[in-house]
Amino acid sequence: MAEELSPEEKFHLITRNLQEVLGDDQKLKQILQERELKVYWGTATTGKPHVAYFVPMLKIADFLKAGCEVTILLADLHAFLDNMKAPLDLLEHRVQYYEQIIKAILESIGVSLDKLKFVKGTDHQLSRQYNLDMYRLSTMVTQHDAKKAGAEVVKQVENPLLSGLLYPGLQALDEEYLKVDAQFGGVDQRKIFTLAEKYLPSLGYAKRIHLMNPMVPGLMGTKMSSSLEESKIDILDKSEDVKKKLNKAFCEPGNTENNGVLSFVQHVLFPLCGQFVLERDPKWGEDQTYTVFEQLKKDFEDKLIDPKDLKASVEVALNKLLDPIRKKFESPELCQLTNSAYPDPSKNKAAAGKGRKTKKEKDRKQGGV
């Protein structure tokens, strides 16, 4: 039987490695004195999940270890509203794909799925009461506040659609309709969290706690994004693609700012493995095992580590994490699901081209030729 953790130990697990906690620490501690914390993490089912998803998954592992009741929201309606990143006809396939890939990630890092709950956004977001609350919220939130709240999350375009302005409000209401004490997300969602804190009480609903992870830079030094192919390594990328993308990644000698390769070591490999093995080219010396990230960072800043060695070592460690996931998705059922969720656009164009008839062909058909 697992050892029962004290409220103090649970608080430590819940808050460790976070960049920020928005809300009252005492409120969180009081809940833990009385019962288990109810927390949710949402993800819009848009592009294929990438390796930065390991960061929230590790935190979800902490929540579960602390006894929290964890809900994962597969935000299909959000995916559609965010500049139609997921077309309506693909939403159901994307939801199923995300659930399977998230489960596979968690299993790859040894997390039990027994106490995890998956919820689809449209299961509650299309209800009568939810929609009434959305209309009520729309009478309170200004266009300026809605746009500002979604600035780092919703795709920004010159002529924004009304749908993108609805996005932050839906995320705020989800806290009430999922009946949670806290919402977990990246620090890029901070403005949405502050919008929720400001407006939920105006609807007569409680203010929630917000737990924020640091963001892992992408391979090009900017935010890792599902919609920016060159910035990310997909969970199902083949080993040769991992190598190719890492080789192109921004990793300037001595530069630790916006270094996605180094950040992955810090936020994924160290918390997961407790160490990092740097495999060196023999001409630069022997392999070295780091047990403290700060020492690895200092050695990189001092140019004692060749970026090529760092990339090659991350490649080895990353492939070990991805191998069981890739293996699982070799099954015919999951291959079919992947193809349904993300159909090959070139095949669609080819099919459309075959379906078109030239004017000459149409005239022949009408003439009975």
Side-chain angles (χ1 to χ4, degrees):
M1 189 175 177
E3 183 183 352
E4 182 66 28
L5 298 177
S6 68
E8 292 76 19
E9 290 170 324
K10 291 178 180 180
F11 180 84
H12 171 71
L13 273 174
I14 290 166
T15 58
R16 71 175 180 177
N17 297 327
L18 292 175
Q19 182 163 324
E20 185 179 359
V21 176
L22 197 60
D24 187 355
D25 277 3
Q26 292 306 314
K27 179 181 177 182
L28 175 55
K29 290 176 179 177
Q30 183 61 41
I31 291 171
L32 294 174
Q33 290 283 349
E34 299 170 358
R35 57 175 173 80
E36 306 299 1
L37 185 76
K38 297 177 182 178
V39 58
Y40 101 85
W41 173 74
T43 181
T45 53
T46 55
K48 291 181 180 178
H50 44 71
V51 296
Y53 271 64
F54 277 102
V55 180
M57 294 303 105
L58 284 167
K59 197 64 228 169
I60 286 171
D62 279 344
F63 295 152
L64 291 169
K65 190 175 180 182
C68 298
E69 295 179 22
V70 181
T71 297
I72 291 181
L73 174 67
L74 301 169
D76 51 347
L77 194 54
H78 285 81
F80 175 65
L81 290 175
D82 186 2
N83 209 45
M84 293 185 290
K85 286 181 182 177
L88 278 174
D89 60 324
L90 296 180
L91 282 186
E92 187 57 40
H93 299 303
R94 295 270 174 99
V95 165
Q96 293 175 35
Y97 179 85
Y98 263 69
E99 180 170 347
Q100 291 302 320
I101 205 84
I102 288 169
K103 286 179 176 178
I105 296 171
L106 289 168
E107 287 170 346
S108 78
I109 58 175
V111 178
S112 171
L113 307 178
D114 294 345
K115 295 184 179 179
L116 202 57
K117 181 182 178 183
F118 285 84
V119 174
K120 186 169 66 171
T122 47
D123 283 346
H124 65 271
Q125 291 163 348
L126 300 180
S127 70
R128 179 178 183 274
Q129 190 56 48
Y130 188 97
N131 277 277
L132 283 174
D133 276 340
M134 271 301 300
Y135 288 127
R136 291 171 65 203
L137 199 58
S138 71
T139 67
M140 304 173 187
V141 181
T142 65
Q143 177 192 4
H144 173 268
D145 283 357
K147 188 175 180 180
K148 180 182 176 183
E152 294 185 53
V153 179
V154 180
K155 185 174 181 179
Q156 299 300 298
V157 293
E158 188 176 343
N159 245 344
L161 296 169
L162 180 60
S163 58
L165 299 177
L166 297 176
Y167 189 113
L170 266 73
Q171 190 167 335
L173 283 177
D174 286 337
E175 296 180 351
E176 173 63 25
Y177 280 79
L178 293 174
K179 303 300 178 187
V180 295
D181 307 302
Q183 182 180 174
F184 165 58
V187 73
D188 61 330
Q189 299 187 61
R190 192 182 194 281
K191 291 174 183 176
I192 292 181
F193 294 161
T194 56
L195 180 137
E197 287 200 349
K198 179 179 179 179
Y199 288 104
L200 280 190
S202 300
L203 293 172
Y205 299 141
K207 185 186 295 188
R208 267 62 179 196
I209 299 162
H210 296 97
L211 310 167
M212 283 172 274
N213 248 359
M215 300 301 293
V216 176
L219 299 179
M220 298 297 111
T222 55
K223 177 181 174 181
M224 194 175 292
S225 168
S226 294
S227 59
L228 296 174
E229 189 60 36
E230 68 277 8
S231 78
K232 67 191 178 89
I233 294 173
D234 286 338
I235 296 294
L236 296 182
D237 271 349
K238 296 176 182 177
S239 56
E240 55 266 33
D241 294 323
V242 172
K243 177 187 285 291
K244 191 184 301 181
K245 289 182 177 181
L246 280 172
N247 283 342
K248 292 181 179 178
F250 172 79
C251 193
E252 186 179 56
N255 189 345
T256 60
E257 294 298 316
N258 297 318
N259 187 325
V261 181
L262 201 59
S263 290
F264 187 79
V265 177
Q266 178 183 5
H267 295 296
V268 178
L269 298 180
F270 262 99
L272 188 58
C273 309
Q275 63 178 30
F276 177 69
V277 179
L278 181 72
E279 299 184 4
R280 295 184 187 275
D281 185 311
K283 67 181 179 183
W284 300 115
E286 297 180 349
D287 295 351
Q288 185 171 351
T289 300
Y290 287 90
T291 55
V292 179
F293 173 74
E294 284 67 26
Q295 186 59 54
L296 173 71
K297 182 180 179 182
K298 184 177 185 306
D299 285 357
F300 190 83
E301 284 178 330
D302 294 340
K303 300 185 180 180
L304 300 175
I305 296 174
D306 189 306
K308 289 181 180 178
D309 290 341
L310 180 64
K311 290 179 178 183
S313 302
V314 168
E315 180 190 340
V316 171
L318 179 53
N319 277 319
K320 285 180 182 176
L321 289 176
L322 298 182
D323 279 343
I325 304 174
R326 290 188 288 228
K327 183 71 176 172
K328 181 175 181 178
F329 271 75
E330 286 175 2
S331 73
E333 295 81 9
L334 291 180
C335 281
Q336 177 59 47
L337 175 59
T338 304
N339 292 333
S340 298
Y342 301 95
D344 187 339
S346 63
K347 289 182 180 178
N348 289 343
K349 287 179 183 177
K354 286 180 181 178
R356 294 193 196 100
K357 287 183 170 59
T358 64
K359 185 177 184 298
K360 194 171 184 180
E361 286 173 326
K362 288 178 182 177
D363 290 344
R364 281 179 182 172
K365 189 172 181 181
Q366 289 169 357
V369 179

